[in-house]
Amino acid sequence: MADTFQAVLISRDEDKKQSVEWTELSEDDLMEGDVTVAVEATTVNYKDGLAITGKAPVVRRFPLVPGIDFAGTVTKSSHTGWKEGDKVILNGWGVGETHYGAYAERARVNGDWLVPLPDGMSAKDAMAVGTAGYTAMLCVMALERHGITPERGPVVVTGAAGGVGSVAIALLAGQGHHVIASTGRASEADYLKELGAAEIIDREELSGPARPLGKERWAGGIDAVGSHTLANALSMTSYGGAVAACGLAQGMDLPASVAPFILRGVSLLGVDSVMAPKELRMEAWQRIAKELDHKKLGAIASVVPFSDVISAATDIIEGRVRGRVVVEMPG
């Protein structure tokens, strides 16, 4: 094992101008934790793109190694739950925001943040799902708890060609839902249909100011976009339906009316993946391993080398990424 390893480091100067560079670190440079992991695969989420480009204040301490999720093998552990050789996944917990993250060949973290890699799933498979896909499953589970079954009617997925949207479509279609995919990329129609979308609508139908109540078009939805798009999704949800919200690609605001809530009994289900309890994470990952069609997983993901991670982060912010990006680590 080399004494030093490659890492991406985000720094900020006295004028709070952010910079990103490649560097060499040693394990002595890593932050506190009771488990050290050899990172075998990571990914580029929208949040990672925001962190590297500085488009949003994702990084909250400097300098910092970004990257909010990884899969790999435990190399050292003083945690009772993990031993050398265990295969693990990490999503969230402030990693890549306040704690050194995945864009390094080694990571040292709190063992309580880790979950086991499901049997039959490789590190690259897990990162083809990544935080985006794990979040999509949390959204599906939230809709299930609200009783949104295929019999209730169609479900809408916004940001359909993105990471959350792609996995959400595959999961919902696999359960028998009639999925309406909202996207601004008409060229991705065949891709979305391959994942299981029954209908495709232009995101322009949802991206402008919403009426207090629109025509009832779906029983539920998964939204990774926020702002006007979420407001429209809510206004068009049928009586007693629900929308699971997990993202802010269009904006953090919600210019909506109370009308869907008080006149149709619609529910807005907030879904957080960063601090979700371990029991929920375990359930989500076990279900992903069982329910997500591996053929569809292959269609969703593309693989890039670690050396391309910075450019991939820019691409995802500029809307040039379809589905998921798996980052394969050296070695």
Side-chain angles (χ1 to χ4, degrees):
M1 184 184 297
D3 292 330
T4 63
F5 50 85
Q6 278 193 307
V8 175
L9 196 68
I10 298 178
S11 303
R12 193 164 68 175
D13 63 20
E14 292 180 357
D15 297 323
K16 296 187 176 181
K17 182 179 179 181
Q18 180 174 302
S19 61
V20 183
E21 63 181 350
W22 287 96
T23 189
E24 293 279 327
L25 298 178
S26 71
E27 290 192 7
D28 290 340
D29 296 315
L30 298 176
M31 294 176 67
E32 71 284 350
D34 50 14
V35 180
T36 303
V37 179
V39 179
E40 295 170 9
T42 179
T43 180
V44 180
N45 298 286
Y46 191 78
K47 197 172 192 178
D48 298 314
L50 292 173
I52 283 182
T53 61
K55 295 288 186 182
V58 171
V59 176
R60 299 197 296 279
R61 76 174 301 280
F62 296 91
L64 191 83
V65 174
I68 66 171
D69 53 5
F70 62 74
T73 302
V74 173
T75 59
K76 298 176 185 176
S77 175
S78 60
H79 188 283
T80 57
W82 305 105
K83 64 183 186 302
E84 183 178 345
D86 285 343
K87 302 289 186 178
V88 294
I89 300 172
L90 182 137
N91 306 105
W93 296 115
V95 171
E97 299 178 64
T98 58
H99 190 96
Y100 275 21
Y103 294 168
E105 294 177 70
R106 295 287 182 275
R108 184 185 295 130
V109 297
N110 183 332
D112 291 341
W113 299 345
L114 300 168
V115 297
L117 182 71
D119 291 341
M121 182 175 273
S122 69
K124 285 169 63 175
D125 288 340
M127 290 300 100
V129 177
T131 287
Y134 146 68
T135 303
M137 177 54 89
L138 292 178
C139 289
V140 170
M141 290 161 58
L143 292 179
E144 289 174 348
R145 290 194 297 271
H146 198 78
I148 306 302
T149 61
E151 294 73 30
R152 290 282 298 273
V155 288
V156 66
V157 174
T158 66
V164 172
S166 295
V167 179
I169 290 169
L171 290 169
L172 290 166
Q175 293 182 349
H177 286 277
H178 180 100
V179 181
I180 300 172
S182 168
T183 182
R185 292 183 261 176
S187 60
E188 303 292 7
D190 288 344
Y191 164 72
L192 296 173
K193 289 177 180 176
E194 183 182 351
L195 294 180
E199 295 181 52
I200 296 167
I201 61 174
D202 194 302
R203 71 179 175 201
E204 293 297 322
E205 293 187 38
L206 304 179
S207 61
R211 292 181 177 182
L213 281 178
K215 179 182 177 182
E216 296 179 69
R217 297 176 66 178
W218 36 72
I222 293 176
D223 174 69
V225 179
S227 192
H228 294 294
T229 297
L230 176 54
N232 274 294
L234 289 164
S235 77
M236 298 178 192
T237 299
S238 59
Y239 193 93
V243 177
C246 65
L248 44 66
Q250 187 179 13
M252 190 178 284
D253 59 324
L254 181 56
S257 162
V258 299
F261 309 120
I262 65 174
L263 298 179
R264 287 186 183 158
V266 169
S267 294
L268 176 57
L269 311 175
V271 174
D272 165 63
S273 64
V274 177
M275 304 302 288
K278 189 167 184 177
E279 296 76 17
L280 206 57
R281 293 168 181 269
M282 296 277 287
E283 180 183 353
W285 276 105
Q286 291 300 323
R287 287 190 57 180
I288 286 165
K290 292 176 183 176
E291 298 177 27
L292 186 58
D293 186 334
H294 276 238
K295 291 180 181 177
K296 290 182 179 179
L297 192 58
I300 289 169
S302 58
V303 180
V304 301
F306 188 34
S307 57
D308 287 354
V309 71
I310 295 176
S311 59
T314 300
D315 287 343
I316 199 168
I317 292 299
E318 296 182 357
R320 295 195 293 265
V321 170
R322 178 179 82 179
R324 305 283 300 122
V325 177
V326 177
V327 179
E328 191 170 24
M329 303 301 284

